[in-house]
Amino acid sequence: MPRSVNHVASKARRTRILKLTKGYFGARKNVWTVAKNTYEKGLTYAYRDRRNKKRTFRALWIQRINAAARLEGISYSKLMGNLAKAGIEINRKVLADLAMNNPQAFKAIVDRVK
């Protein structure tokens, strides 16, 4: 009896991966084993960097708040401590946005906690 191979399914699976690797450099886009490895590695990077993105943005917000706070004559740590003591619950993302786009509102917050 001849060997039965479901070529339709396996070809479809390969085609799907090769479509996803379109635009990659060299063999990464058209050699099945290389493309598959590259695609899987890319998924690993995507998973990792979705978490790293959160860290990176938090660090950016802290730097922006610190820079704006020092222009008002207070350090970042003192500002955040005073905000907590004053019971003002405002997150770093919003504070950084105010510091960048609305300095008057940021100054008002700083004056309130000084």
Side-chain angles (χ1 to χ4, degrees):
M1 189 169 192
R3 181 166 162 251
S4 175
V5 183
N6 189 356
H7 187 65
V8 175
S10 52
K11 186 175 192 308
R13 189 169 52 248
R14 282 193 292 268
T15 307
R16 183 175 57 87
I17 297 291
L18 290 172
K19 269 188 182 172
L20 290 168
T21 58
K22 187 177 173 187
Y24 285 15
F25 182 81
R28 292 169 156 244
K29 71 174 163 277
N30 54 16
V31 176
W32 161 244
T33 50
V34 180
K36 185 167 76 75
N37 292 338
T38 305
Y39 171 72
E40 287 171 356
K41 186 77 164 184
L43 291 178
T44 307
Y45 287 144
Y47 178 84
R48 179 197 69 189
D49 291 336
R50 279 194 298 274
R51 278 125 196 94
N52 286 355
K53 186 169 129 181
K54 293 163 184 58
R55 295 177 214 164
T56 308
F57 269 99
R58 183 183 167 94
L60 176 67
W61 297 331
I62 289 171
Q63 289 167 10
R64 286 179 174 175
I65 295 166
N66 191 21
R70 286 180 187 276
L71 289 174
E72 302 300 330
I74 188 170
S75 71
Y76 169 80
S77 61
K78 292 240 172 64
L79 172 67
M80 297 311 284
N82 291 350
L83 279 171
K85 281 180 196 163
I88 300 172
E89 291 183 10
I90 186 167
N91 65 20
R92 288 164 180 80
K93 181 179 180 179
V94 174
L95 265 177
D97 186 57
L98 287 175
M100 290 288 293
N101 301 321
N102 197 345
Q104 298 87 8
F106 185 79
K107 184 175 175 23
I109 292 170
V110 172
D111 291 340
R112 182 125 179 244
V113 299
K114 265 189 179 176

